[in-house]
Amino acid sequence: ADGSTDFPPAAGRYHLYVSLACPWANRTLIGRALKGLTNVIDITIVDWFLGEGGWRFTDSEPRCTLDTVNGKDRLREVYFLSNPEHEGNITVPLLWDKETNTIVNNESSEILRMLNTEFNEFCETDEQRAIDLYPEDMRQAID
């Protein structure tokens, strides 16, 4: 982290909203685990079923959780909390800044790149810190 962001890395500051039914969200969960950041960035898992009202928070479905960060019933409410005039899609994954109550990012590849480098000081082990999820020689193929 070079200090050039409004979202400096910090343990406990960020929250990841995901759906286990979404492969893009799953890859952020995998990256979070591989980098040893499970105790640094907590998660909320929305209901796997994307209903008419959008992603909902529940603890009545296996492996799903309530929104313990913002206390909302649906993910769309989290988006509107950040931007009341939001007109885009309501998607997961969503990286949330608990300090500023705003969305950091909702693009899985960009979230993975953040987890890959910006949070290295918080990785549990040196081995996890050394893992490179976006190696220079593979970037063209990855992108």
Side-chain angles (χ1 to χ4, degrees):
D2 62 8
S4 64
T5 178
D6 292 334
F7 305 108
R13 178 173 174 165
Y14 301 97
H15 189 81
L16 189 59
Y17 289 96
V18 298
S19 168
L20 299 180
C22 174
W24 308 116
N26 270 292
R27 73 184 195 161
T28 63
L29 288 175
I30 292 166
R32 175 179 162 265
L34 287 172
K35 293 295 285 187
L37 299 171
T38 57
N39 292 323
V40 175
I41 300 171
D42 50 352
I43 62 170
T44 294
I45 302 171
V46 299
D47 188 341
W48 56 269
F49 180 73
L50 179 57
E52 186 175 316
W55 300 108
R56 74 181 178 102
F57 302 110
T58 182
D59 59 359
S60 64
E61 296 293 335
R63 300 193 65 200
C64 297
T65 57
L66 297 173
D67 179 12
T68 58
V69 173
N70 293 300
K72 301 301 181 186
D73 293 321
R74 299 207 177 257
L75 187 61
R76 71 182 325 100
E77 297 173 64
V78 176
Y79 271 79
F80 292 132
L81 182 62
S82 177
N83 176 5
E85 298 177 21
H86 177 79
E87 295 181 3
N89 292 328
I90 308 297
T91 62
V92 290
L94 173 69
L95 187 61
W96 180 260
D97 183 348
K98 295 187 284 186
E99 187 175 298
T100 62
N101 288 325
T102 195
I103 295 170
V104 176
N105 202 300
N106 66 349
E107 167 51 49
S108 64
S109 64
E110 294 173 10
I111 294 171
L112 275 172
R113 288 181 187 128
M114 288 178 218
L115 299 180
N116 188 49
T117 57
E118 299 303 311
F119 288 86
N120 274 342
E121 68 184 283
F122 302 104
C123 295
E124 292 177 6
T125 68
D126 289 338
E127 290 81 13
Q128 290 167 319
R129 192 171 296 109
I131 292 172
D132 188 357
L133 302 173
Y134 192 53
E136 187 74 40
D137 63 334
M138 298 290 296
R139 290 183 180 178
Q140 187 173 5
I142 291 170
D143 292 338

